[in-house]
Amino acid sequence: ITYLNLGFRLAPTANQDNHLKNWGNSTTARTGVLAPRLTKEDLIAALRARHVFATTDKDLEVIAMVNSSLMGDVVDSSALVVGQEIPLRLSVLDRAEGGAGSVHYIAEVYSDTAPGGAEAEIVEELEFDAAPGTRKEVTISNVVYTGPGQYVFVELQQLTPDEDDADRAWTAPFWLEPTGSPPGTAGATLRIASLLPNSDTPEG
């Protein structure tokens, strides 16, 4: 949050401090990369476009979108006026969650008016449940446009009946600018539908 407030366009990662050859084995933390294909070129393009999320649960997937823009994108805010609601949507899935009862989620939306002022704080919270192992899509209301330079991201908590502590995930921010997307992100947008089951898009 500190570096975002300084004006850097950054996205989160969930990393591991390695001193042995145990990559990915001593932690369930993962960085999710949303790419149309599992190729080196597409993965690098997705990383450059910040189409990522960080999670402490290797099976938890969270995708945030504003209209057709994917988390990490610079959203063209030319048509927005200050105080207008931002159409923020989440798609959440944990294929490994099973058993009886629903999975409880808490989505906290962070927003910063513009770099250089106060750091981002929680402006909206939404709680919802999902059946184990199923995708849940929700719309988060009451997140409003505050002006050029604003950024928005979501921290997600996942609670299951047999867990005391919540798993967490963080989306890459959206940046709202009237000039539109800078070079390198145009054309890289994915749709939630392309990541749904029974599609030809690889997942994982």
PDB file of all heavy atoms in Angstrom, residues 13-28:
ATOM      1  N   THR A  13       2.250 -10.450  -5.010  1.00  0.00           N
ATOM      2  CA  THR A  13       2.717 -11.822  -5.177  1.00  0.00           C
ATOM      3  C   THR A  13       2.733 -12.486  -3.806  1.00  0.00           C
ATOM      4  O   THR A  13       2.824 -11.822  -2.784  1.00  0.00           O
ATOM      5  CB  THR A  13       4.136 -11.885  -5.782  1.00  0.00           C
ATOM      6  OG1 THR A  13       5.058 -11.231  -4.895  1.00  0.00           O
ATOM      7  CG2 THR A  13       4.178 -11.227  -7.146  1.00  0.00           C
ATOM      8  N   ALA A  14       2.631 -13.797  -3.801  1.00  0.00           N
ATOM      9  CA  ALA A  14       2.738 -14.573  -2.561  1.00  0.00           C
ATOM     10  C   ALA A  14       3.955 -15.471  -2.707  1.00  0.00           C
ATOM     11  O   ALA A  14       3.934 -16.429  -3.474  1.00  0.00           O
ATOM     12  CB  ALA A  14       1.475 -15.394  -2.315  1.00  0.00           C
ATOM     13  N   ASN A  15       5.007 -15.125  -1.989  1.00  0.00           N
ATOM     14  CA  ASN A  15       6.299 -15.751  -2.218  1.00  0.00           C
ATOM     15  C   ASN A  15       6.739 -16.641  -1.061  1.00  0.00           C
ATOM     16  O   ASN A  15       6.106 -16.688  -0.014  1.00  0.00           O
ATOM     17  CB  ASN A  15       7.353 -14.669  -2.461  1.00  0.00           C
ATOM     18  CG  ASN A  15       6.993 -13.779  -3.630  1.00  0.00           C
ATOM     19  OD1 ASN A  15       6.692 -14.262  -4.702  1.00  0.00           O
ATOM     20  ND2 ASN A  15       7.002 -12.472  -3.403  1.00  0.00           N
ATOM     21  N   GLN A  16       7.854 -17.298  -1.262  1.00  0.00           N
ATOM     22  CA  GLN A  16       8.415 -18.203  -0.262  1.00  0.00           C
ATOM     23  C   GLN A  16       9.914 -17.933  -0.149  1.00  0.00           C
ATOM     24  O   GLN A  16      10.596 -17.767  -1.160  1.00  0.00           O
ATOM     25  CB  GLN A  16       8.170 -19.653  -0.678  1.00  0.00           C
ATOM     26  CG  GLN A  16       8.785 -20.685   0.247  1.00  0.00           C
ATOM     27  CD  GLN A  16       8.602 -22.093  -0.279  1.00  0.00           C
ATOM     28  OE1 GLN A  16       7.777 -22.338  -1.137  1.00  0.00           O
ATOM     29  NE2 GLN A  16       9.389 -23.019   0.239  1.00  0.00           N
ATOM     30  N   ASP A  17      10.402 -17.878   1.064  1.00  0.00           N
ATOM     31  CA  ASP A  17      11.831 -17.680   1.303  1.00  0.00           C
ATOM     32  C   ASP A  17      12.518 -19.044   1.254  1.00  0.00           C
ATOM     33  O   ASP A  17      12.363 -19.860   2.159  1.00  0.00           O
ATOM     34  CB  ASP A  17      12.031 -17.010   2.674  1.00  0.00           C
ATOM     35  CG  ASP A  17      13.498 -16.729   2.957  1.00  0.00           C
ATOM     36  OD1 ASP A  17      14.311 -16.807   2.027  1.00  0.00           O
ATOM     37  OD2 ASP A  17      13.830 -16.435   4.117  1.00  0.00           O
ATOM     38  N   ASN A  18      13.226 -19.296   0.164  1.00  0.00           N
ATOM     39  CA  ASN A  18      13.819 -20.616  -0.054  1.00  0.00           C
ATOM     40  C   ASN A  18      15.312 -20.626   0.240  1.00  0.00           C
ATOM     41  O   ASN A  18      16.051 -19.747  -0.196  1.00  0.00           O
ATOM     42  CB  ASN A  18      13.634 -21.054  -1.507  1.00  0.00           C
ATOM     43  CG  ASN A  18      12.216 -21.442  -1.823  1.00  0.00           C
ATOM     44  OD1 ASN A  18      11.445 -20.597  -2.265  1.00  0.00           O
ATOM     45  ND2 ASN A  18      11.861 -22.689  -1.598  1.00  0.00           N
ATOM     46  N   HIS A  19      15.743 -21.639   0.963  1.00  0.00           N
ATOM     47  CA  HIS A  19      17.158 -21.932   1.131  1.00  0.00           C
ATOM     48  C   HIS A  19      17.462 -23.376   0.737  1.00  0.00           C
ATOM     49  O   HIS A  19      18.611 -23.792   0.721  1.00  0.00           O
ATOM     50  CB  HIS A  19      17.589 -21.686   2.588  1.00  0.00           C
ATOM     51  CG  HIS A  19      17.417 -20.268   3.014  1.00  0.00           C
ATOM     52  ND1 HIS A  19      18.391 -19.311   2.861  1.00  0.00           N
ATOM     53  CD2 HIS A  19      16.347 -19.628   3.562  1.00  0.00           C
ATOM     54  CE1 HIS A  19      17.954 -18.153   3.314  1.00  0.00           C
ATOM     55  NE2 HIS A  19      16.717 -18.320   3.738  1.00  0.00           N
ATOM     56  N   LEU A  20      16.394 -24.131   0.422  1.00  0.00           N
ATOM     57  CA  LEU A  20      16.518 -25.517  -0.009  1.00  0.00           C
ATOM     58  C   LEU A  20      15.718 -25.694  -1.293  1.00  0.00           C
ATOM     59  O   LEU A  20      14.927 -24.831  -1.671  1.00  0.00           O
ATOM     60  CB  LEU A  20      16.004 -26.473   1.078  1.00  0.00           C
ATOM     61  CG  LEU A  20      16.692 -26.397   2.443  1.00  0.00           C
ATOM     62  CD1 LEU A  20      15.943 -27.242   3.461  1.00  0.00           C
ATOM     63  CD2 LEU A  20      18.144 -26.851   2.338  1.00  0.00           C
ATOM     64  N   LYS A  21      15.886 -26.835  -1.932  1.00  0.00           N
ATOM     65  CA  LYS A  21      15.153 -27.109  -3.168  1.00  0.00           C
ATOM     66  C   LYS A  21      13.761 -27.664  -2.848  1.00  0.00           C
ATOM     67  O   LYS A  21      13.437 -28.812  -3.153  1.00  0.00           O
ATOM     68  CB  LYS A  21      15.950 -28.084  -4.039  1.00  0.00           C
ATOM     69  CG  LYS A  21      17.272 -27.518  -4.530  1.00  0.00           C
ATOM     70  CD  LYS A  21      18.031 -28.527  -5.377  1.00  0.00           C
ATOM     71  CE  LYS A  21      19.365 -27.953  -5.858  1.00  0.00           C
ATOM     72  NZ  LYS A  21      20.128 -28.940  -6.679  1.00  0.00           N
ATOM     73  N   ASN A  22      12.955 -26.831  -2.214  1.00  0.00           N
ATOM     74  CA  ASN A  22      11.610 -27.253  -1.826  1.00  0.00           C
ATOM     75  C   ASN A  22      10.572 -26.258  -2.348  1.00  0.00           C
ATOM     76  O   ASN A  22       9.610 -25.935  -1.669  1.00  0.00           O
ATOM     77  CB  ASN A  22      11.498 -27.384  -0.312  1.00  0.00           C
ATOM     78  CG  ASN A  22      11.777 -26.072   0.413  1.00  0.00           C
ATOM     79  OD1 ASN A  22      12.258 -25.099  -0.180  1.00  0.00           O
ATOM     80  ND2 ASN A  22      11.474 -26.035   1.698  1.00  0.00           N
ATOM     81  N   TRP A  23      10.785 -25.784  -3.573  1.00  0.00           N
ATOM     82  CA  TRP A  23       9.923 -24.763  -4.130  1.00  0.00           C
ATOM     83  C   TRP A  23       8.462 -25.199  -4.128  1.00  0.00           C
ATOM     84  O   TRP A  23       8.099 -26.200  -4.732  1.00  0.00           O
ATOM     85  CB  TRP A  23      10.364 -24.443  -5.558  1.00  0.00           C
ATOM     86  CG  TRP A  23      11.811 -24.056  -5.626  1.00  0.00           C
ATOM     87  CD1 TRP A  23      12.363 -22.893  -5.168  1.00  0.00           C
ATOM     88  CD2 TRP A  23      12.886 -24.825  -6.142  1.00  0.00           C
ATOM     89  NE1 TRP A  23      13.716 -22.882  -5.380  1.00  0.00           N
ATOM     90  CE2 TRP A  23      14.068 -24.064  -5.982  1.00  0.00           C
ATOM     91  CE3 TRP A  23      12.970 -26.081  -6.732  1.00  0.00           C
ATOM     92  CZ2 TRP A  23      15.308 -24.516  -6.397  1.00  0.00           C
ATOM     93  CZ3 TRP A  23      14.207 -26.520  -7.139  1.00  0.00           C
ATOM     94  CH2 TRP A  23      15.360 -25.761  -6.978  1.00  0.00           C
ATOM     95  N   GLY A  24       7.628 -24.419  -3.449  1.00  0.00           N
ATOM     96  CA  GLY A  24       6.201 -24.692  -3.438  1.00  0.00           C
ATOM     97  C   GLY A  24       5.758 -25.783  -2.501  1.00  0.00           C
ATOM     98  O   GLY A  24       4.557 -26.043  -2.383  1.00  0.00           O
ATOM     99  N   ASN A  25       6.679 -26.447  -1.804  1.00  0.00           N
ATOM    100  CA  ASN A  25       6.309 -27.557  -0.933  1.00  0.00           C
ATOM    101  C   ASN A  25       6.123 -27.159   0.529  1.00  0.00           C
ATOM    102  O   ASN A  25       5.420 -27.842   1.268  1.00  0.00           O
ATOM    103  CB  ASN A  25       7.364 -28.671  -1.008  1.00  0.00           C
ATOM    104  CG  ASN A  25       7.390 -29.349  -2.356  1.00  0.00           C
ATOM    105  OD1 ASN A  25       6.361 -29.463  -3.015  1.00  0.00           O
ATOM    106  ND2 ASN A  25       8.561 -29.781  -2.781  1.00  0.00           N
ATOM    107  N   SER A  26       6.766 -26.087   0.962  1.00  0.00           N
ATOM    108  CA  SER A  26       6.704 -25.729   2.377  1.00  0.00           C
ATOM    109  C   SER A  26       5.687 -24.640   2.659  1.00  0.00           C
ATOM    110  O   SER A  26       5.588 -24.179   3.799  1.00  0.00           O
ATOM    111  CB  SER A  26       8.086 -25.279   2.861  1.00  0.00           C
ATOM    112  OG  SER A  26       8.522 -24.131   2.157  1.00  0.00           O
ATOM    113  N   THR A  27       4.939 -24.227   1.666  1.00  0.00           N
ATOM    114  CA  THR A  27       3.903 -23.220   1.868  1.00  0.00           C
ATOM    115  C   THR A  27       2.797 -23.441   0.848  1.00  0.00           C
ATOM    116  O   THR A  27       3.046 -23.974  -0.245  1.00  0.00           O
ATOM    117  CB  THR A  27       4.461 -21.792   1.717  1.00  0.00           C
ATOM    118  OG1 THR A  27       3.394 -20.843   1.865  1.00  0.00           O
ATOM    119  CG2 THR A  27       5.100 -21.589   0.351  1.00  0.00           C
ATOM    120  N   THR A  28       1.575 -23.042   1.203  1.00  0.00           N
ATOM    121  CA  THR A  28       0.460 -23.098   0.254  1.00  0.00           C
ATOM    122  C   THR A  28       0.265 -21.760  -0.445  1.00  0.00           C
ATOM    123  O   THR A  28      -0.677 -21.609  -1.229  1.00  0.00           O
ATOM    124  CB  THR A  28      -0.847 -23.489   0.963  1.00  0.00           C
ATOM    125  OG1 THR A  28      -1.134 -22.525   1.983  1.00  0.00           O
ATOM    126  CG2 THR A  28      -0.732 -24.873   1.582  1.00  0.00           C
TER     127      THR A  28
END
